[in-house]
Amino acid sequence: MESSTTPGGRTRREATRQKLYEAAVTLIAEQGFSATTVDEIAERAGVAKGTVYYNFASKSVLFEELLRHGVGLLTASLREAAERTAQEGGDKVDALDAMIRAGLVFIDRYPSFTQLYVAELWRTNRAWQSTLMVVRQQAVAVVETVLREGVENGEFSEEIDVPLTAAALVGMVLVAALDWQAFQPERSLDDVHSALSRLLQGRVSGRR
């Protein structure tokens, strides 16, 4: 997961935190949160153990910040896709379609993070559960905005449940992408996007 760079010490600290994020997400995806130690994270990141604690108070705090960081990147990519579509004169279905593709691109780039994120959504005993719910809602809210605008301009039915539909679209992309990577890796991103695009546009039944 790449971070923007700025002059001076801030750049070095962001680069270090980036290494720690990447080490943590890889290790936790491989062996689970409880089994992963701070020593292992430091070793994988190529830094001293004290560097981990300098940047994060604990392993739990590191993981919580990792969730914020990763979902923040996903949210930004969804928002940018919607905004770009609007600038190009596309309608709200086009915006949702662009967001589906942006989500697939993100998941293809960060598969280990996506696996962790989806797994954590189903856990209820984590210290960072409230943070997870907040960052999840941030991503879903981007989709909700497009849906509401579509309802307001008459493009979508007023009968749709906006929050549930937004959550369903995000969930569809996450689960379909993980299934693609785990069980159908021979498929291209374009193949997966095309299949989800047909679902979005109601072209599954074959009815005219």
Side-chain angles (χ1 to χ4, degrees), residues 44-189:
R44 180 69 65 93
V47 302
K49 181 178 180 179
T51 302
V52 179
Y53 289 115
Y54 175 76
N55 285 275
F56 304 99
S58 67
K59 184 177 70 171
S60 292
V61 171
L62 167 56
F63 191 68
E64 184 173 351
E65 289 302 313
L66 173 62
L67 290 172
R68 290 183 185 275
H69 179 67
V71 180
L73 290 177
L74 172 60
T75 301
S77 68
L78 297 178
R79 184 178 294 110
E80 289 167 6
E83 292 174 349
R84 184 171 59 253
T85 302
Q87 292 170 357
E88 294 172 352
D91 59 22
K92 298 307 176 185
V93 171
D94 293 329
L96 291 174
D97 191 52
M99 294 165 85
I100 286 174
R101 186 173 186 86
L104 291 173
V105 169
F106 174 88
I107 295 165
D108 187 46
R109 186 173 184 181
Y110 306 122
S112 294
F113 172 80
T114 306
Q115 292 169 15
L116 283 181
Y117 172 68
V118 171
E120 289 300 317
L121 283 175
W122 300 104
R123 299 182 187 275
T124 58
N125 60 342
R126 298 299 206 189
W128 51 78
Q129 190 68 23
S130 60
T131 295
L132 182 62
M133 293 301 99
V134 169
V135 295
R136 170 204 167 275
Q137 184 53 37
Q138 290 172 351
V140 173
V142 179
V143 184
E144 287 183 9
T145 297
V146 173
L147 288 170
R148 286 198 176 92
E149 291 173 349
V151 171
E152 290 171 0
N153 68 18
E155 189 172 346
F156 301 141
S157 168
E158 294 182 355
E159 296 179 357
I160 69 170
D161 184 319
V162 170
L164 187 57
T165 301
L169 287 171
V170 173
M172 175 184 72
V173 174
L174 289 172
V175 175
L178 290 178
D179 185 271
W180 158 42
Q181 294 179 338
F183 303 113
Q184 305 180 66
E186 72 281 359
R187 291 183 178 273
S188 69
L189 191 150

